[in-house]
Amino acid sequence: MAIIAVTGYAIAANEHIVIQKDKHFSVKILTVKVGDWVSFKNDDAFFHNVFSLSDAQSFDLGSHGQGQARRVQMAKEGTVDIECAIHPEMKMQIKVMK
Ligand SMILES: [Cu+2]
């Protein structure tokens, strides 16, 4: 668990792990809180590139190879659709709650 500062006070932020294996995310829908981190770990022998174009939060974690993880902090409330730029069939959602 990491402690982060938000608008002058400290809150506890959790980290959630999502595994990428056999061109699938290990969860289809992940519910987290604002400020939480989500770490995407690649357990495949090829590259993945996690990104989102959602209004709630858009980001691109870049391509990462076997055994590597990339993380993103969920900044605000909403539903974030997650995709892989390399494998269009890979999809999941992160629901970010207050
Ligand atoms: Cu992929």
Side-chain angles (χ1 to χ4, degrees), residues 20 47-49 84 86-87 90:
Q20 298 160 97
F47 283 81
H48 291 296
N49 188 149
C84 174
I86 301 168
H87 309 104
M90 291 178 67

Side-chain angles (χ1 to χ4, degrees), residues 40-94:
F40 294 90
K41 183 170 183 286
N42 183 357
D43 274 355
D44 277 321
F46 39 81
F47 283 81
H48 291 296
N49 188 149
V50 177
F51 75 100
S52 174
L53 297 175
S54 294
D55 289 339
Q57 187 169 344
S58 65
F59 58 85
D60 184 349
L61 299 184
S63 62
H64 51 288
Q66 184 173 23
Q68 293 186 319
R70 294 286 169 89
R71 58 206 289 264
V72 59
Q73 188 172 30
M74 306 316 294
K76 62 179 185 178
E77 202 172 8
T79 298
V80 181
D81 294 307
I82 307 293
E83 300 176 67
C84 174
I86 301 168
H87 309 104
E89 68 271 35
M90 291 178 67
K91 292 180 190 298
M92 66 165 290
Q93 280 189 330
I94 301 176

Side-chain angles (χ1 to χ4, degrees), residues 3-19:
I3 305 299
I4 58 166
V6 177
T7 61
Y9 58 92
I11 62 166
N14 287 312
E15 181 159 2
H16 307 262
I17 310 290
V18 176
I19 305 294

